Amino acid sequence: NAGVTQTPKFRILKIGQSMTLQCTQDMNHNYMYWYRQDPGMGLKLIYYSVGAGITDKGEVPNGYNVSRSTTEDFPLRLELAAPSQTSVYFCASSHPGGSVTGELFFGEGSRLTVL
Amino acid sequence: TQLLEQSPQFLSIQEGENLTVYCNSSSVFSSLQWYRQEPGEGPVLLVTVVTGGEVKKLKRLTFQFGDARKDSSLHITAAQPGDTGLYLCAGDNTGGFKTIFGAGTRLFVKA
């Protein structure tokens, strides 16, 4: 079972470069998310999507863009990379939970370093 | 802004010891989750608690949701090296699409 798949696992960028982190899930989940995890800071929500064609900002969206053209895919675009974007990025998906939070299924993460 | 504070931030214990980690907030949550994360992997759900005062057990792990639904605790009995990892609590009031996470408790169990 693939679950949530992220690529690449590791990437080094120079300041000002752009790149896209890919995320795909095979569980037919409507909800998808991008989080970043910095040491000692927990997970911060960057963007989320409740279905194809619908995206919204999370807690820390500046410097990022997303799109959701299909249920399966939710790429995260970094424009003009900055050292502050050095982090581990996690994509996740879930079923809508109603009043009870559904389980978040995470990918293995993408470690990005901006030099 | 809703915040979840976890304590302690780091815990190093011997195999066989008991421990409790805490997750506290000034906000009320409709549900609270605990995740465990191992190095190089994404977090994996351990439990979801929904009702104030609820207690759930998962083998040697006991989870409790505070009566006012503002806090939670995770108690591990007779810790084993396999329990080593980062324990994250996560709270939500939006049906799942804006779950917030605490900073985590990093547990190291020595054999």
Side-chain angles (χ1 to χ4, degrees), chain B residues 12-51:
Chain B
S12 180
I13 61 172
Q14 290 292 137
E15 181 177 6
E17 292 185 8
N18 301 331
L19 67 117
T20 302
V21 299
Y22 300 92
C23 175
N24 295 297
S25 176
S26 58
S27 302
V28 175
F29 290 97
S30 59
S31 63
L32 204 143
Q33 298 174 315
W34 285 91
Y35 287 81
R36 179 164 163 260
Q37 184 180 17
E38 298 193 33
E41 299 182 7
V44 176
L45 180 69
L46 294 172
V47 76
T48 300
V49 286
V50 178
T51 306

Side-chain angles (χ1 to χ4, degrees), chain A residues 25-62:
Chain A
Q25 53 95 5
D26 62 1
M27 296 174 284
N28 201 32
H29 286 165
N30 286 336
Y31 289 3
M32 294 189 75
Y33 318 80
W34 276 104
Y35 286 90
R36 59 177 287 172
Q37 185 175 37
D38 301 310
M41 298 295 289
L43 290 154
K44 302 290 187 185
L45 182 63
I46 304 171
Y47 271 95
Y48 67 95
S49 169
V50 299
I54 306 169
T55 63
D56 207 348
K57 296 177 181 179
E59 187 180 1
V60 290
N62 292 342

Side-chain angles (χ1 to χ4, degrees), chain B residues 10-14 80-81 83-85 106-111:
Chain B
F10 182 80
L11 194 55
S12 180
I13 61 172
Q14 290 292 137
Q80 298 177 1
D83 295 326
T84 293
R106 190 166 297 279
L107 172 66
F108 181 66
V109 182
K110 294 174 281 189

Side-chain angles (χ1 to χ4, degrees), chain A residues 3-115:
Chain A
V4 178
T5 303
Q6 293 181 232
T7 57
K9 286 188 172 18
F10 302 94
R11 183 73 185 268
I12 298 175
L13 283 180
K14 294 182 179 179
I15 294 172
Q17 286 185 320
S18 300
M19 75 161 297
T20 299
L21 298 176
Q22 301 291 345
C23 176
T24 187
Q25 53 95 5
D26 62 1
M27 296 174 284
N28 201 32
H29 286 165
N30 286 336
Y31 289 3
M32 294 189 75
Y33 318 80
W34 276 104
Y35 286 90
R36 59 177 287 172
Q37 185 175 37
D38 301 310
M41 298 295 289
L43 290 154
K44 302 290 187 185
L45 182 63
I46 304 171
Y47 271 95
Y48 67 95
S49 169
V50 299
I54 306 169
T55 63
D56 207 348
K57 296 177 181 179
E59 187 180 1
V60 290
N62 292 342
Y64 308 94
N65 280 299
V66 294
S67 60
R68 184 95 182 271
S69 57
T70 66
T71 299
E72 294 79 18
D73 300 308
F74 190 42
L76 177 71
R77 177 83 176 162
L78 281 72
E79 304 282 2
L80 299 175
S84 61
Q85 293 178 304
T86 294
S87 189
V88 181
Y89 292 84
F90 286 96
C91 180
S93 71
S94 71
H95 275 304
S99 61
V100 178
T101 302
E103 176 178 0
L104 291 170
F105 292 84
F106 287 87
E108 292 186 335
S110 299
R111 183 176 295 274
L112 176 66
T113 302
V114 182
L115 300 174

